[in-house]
């Protein structure tokens, strides 16, 4: 497991998609953050949701579907290192990537941009874990259903932009039709983004939206496990 983790870490570090997942949210934060007031409590939560969404909907499904397409999972089934261990290692590394991206955003926002940072660390951690779990669950379902890595990449991108729009990451929710904004709030990314905004505003995350993210994480993961193929 240690050697597998070491090898997978090197592969992830060389993946252009990992760099993309780190730099794109940071670019958005710096470019738009330089033109807003330091007390703004919307941009940083939006950037955090974008970062987790990129990892969950792009990195997770593309990597796993590519491994299956290349026969890596099938060949590993004949070794002492079972393919299930590779799946666990990959999910942990993708989680580390998401944490790194969000940590970088928080560091730059707090030191360079003077952005507001919430005092409720526990609420932030709970929201992050549930939001990440729900986004990763969707990524696993894409990986389970996509025939190859290229298809997983395309499906992830096609899902990402509508979900980001519905979540109010491209257009403020108060400028959207009421029904569209309501639907968007109950998507994985929408619930995640809204809970982050609630925490940044000094309140507590909505328990209903936390439950929505937990439900996505459990139900979608179960469906992904049902349809996931090793070869």
């Amino acid at each position: 497991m240690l050697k597998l983790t070491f090898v997978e870490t090197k592969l992830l570090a060389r993946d252009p998609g990992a760099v993309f997942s780190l730099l794109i949210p940071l670019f958005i934060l710096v470019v738009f953050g330089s033109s807003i007031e330091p007390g703004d409590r919307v941009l940083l939560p939006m950037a955090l949701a974008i970062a987790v969404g990129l990892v969950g909907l792009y990195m997770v499904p593309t990597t796993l579907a590519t491994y299956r397409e290349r026969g890596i999972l099938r060949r590993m089934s004949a070794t002492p290192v079972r393919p299930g261990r590779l799946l666990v290692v990959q999910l942990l590394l993708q989680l580390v990537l998401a944490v790194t991206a969000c940590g970088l955003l928080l560091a730059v926002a707090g030191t360079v941009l003077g952005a507001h940072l919430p005092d409720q660390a526990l609420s932030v951690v709970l929201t992050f874990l549930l939001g990440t779990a729900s986004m990763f669950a969707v990524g696993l379902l894409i990986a389970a259903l996509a025939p190859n890595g290229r298809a997983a990449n395309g499906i992830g991108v096609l899902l990402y932009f509508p979900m980001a729009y519905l979540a109010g990451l491209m257009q403020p929710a108060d400028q959207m039709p009421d029904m569209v904004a309501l639907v968007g709030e109950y998507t994985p990314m929408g619930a995640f983004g809204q809970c982050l905004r609630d925490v940044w505003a000094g309140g507590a995350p909505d328990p209903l939206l936390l439950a929505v993210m937990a439900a996505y994480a459990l139900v979608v993961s179960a469906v992904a496990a049902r349809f996931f193929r090793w070869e």
Side-chain angles (χ1 to χ4, degrees), residues 1-229:
M1 284 294 289
L2 289 176
K3 188 171 184 179
L4 177 63
T5 302
F6 178 70
V7 171
E8 290 300 313
T9 301
K10 290 198 300 182
L11 292 174
L12 180 62
R14 298 171 184 171
D15 191 337
V19 179
F20 177 84
S21 299
L22 290 173
L23 295 185
I24 291 299
L26 183 61
F27 175 79
I28 293 173
L29 178 68
V30 171
V31 169
F32 290 98
S34 61
S35 61
I36 62 175
E37 297 180 0
D40 178 81
R41 301 185 180 188
V42 175
L43 181 61
L44 183 52
M46 179 186 75
L48 294 172
I50 289 174
V52 174
L54 285 173
V55 176
L57 296 179
Y58 173 71
M59 290 297 298
V60 170
T62 301
T63 301
L64 295 179
T66 299
Y67 277 19
R68 184 178 62 236
E69 177 187 4
R70 294 178 178 176
I72 294 174
L73 300 180
R74 174 176 52 81
R75 290 195 295 270
M76 289 189 69
S77 64
T79 72
V81 182
R82 307 298 294 180
R85 295 186 180 183
L86 177 62
L87 178 60
V88 171
V89 169
Q90 267 297 322
L91 290 177
L92 289 176
L93 289 178
Q94 301 295 349
L95 176 60
V96 170
L97 177 61
V99 170
T100 302
C102 291
L104 183 61
L105 290 170
L106 291 172
V108 172
T111 58
V112 178
L113 301 178
H116 166 78
L117 298 178
D119 299 323
Q120 305 177 49
L122 183 60
S123 294
V124 173
V125 172
L126 177 62
T127 299
F128 173 81
L129 290 177
L130 288 177
T132 302
S134 64
M135 298 303 300
F136 276 30
V138 176
L140 286 173
L141 181 59
I142 296 172
L145 299 178
N148 51 55
R150 181 177 299 179
N153 188 345
I155 295 171
V157 171
L158 287 175
L159 279 179
Y160 178 83
F161 287 103
M163 288 180 66
Y165 173 78
L166 289 172
L169 304 184
M170 296 182 176
Q171 179 180 354
D174 57 9
Q175 298 179 14
M176 298 163 59
D178 292 342
M179 182 57 67
V180 174
L182 180 62
V183 171
E185 194 171 279
Y186 291 94
T187 63
M189 195 178 295
F192 184 35
Q194 184 57 52
C195 285
L196 287 175
R197 288 191 289 270
D198 289 341
V199 173
W200 251 258
D206 187 335
L208 177 59
L209 296 183
L210 292 178
V212 167
M213 290 188 288
Y216 273 115
L218 293 174
V219 175
V220 178
S221 293
V223 175
R226 171 65 179 80
F227 290 100
F228 193 87
R229 297 168 289 108

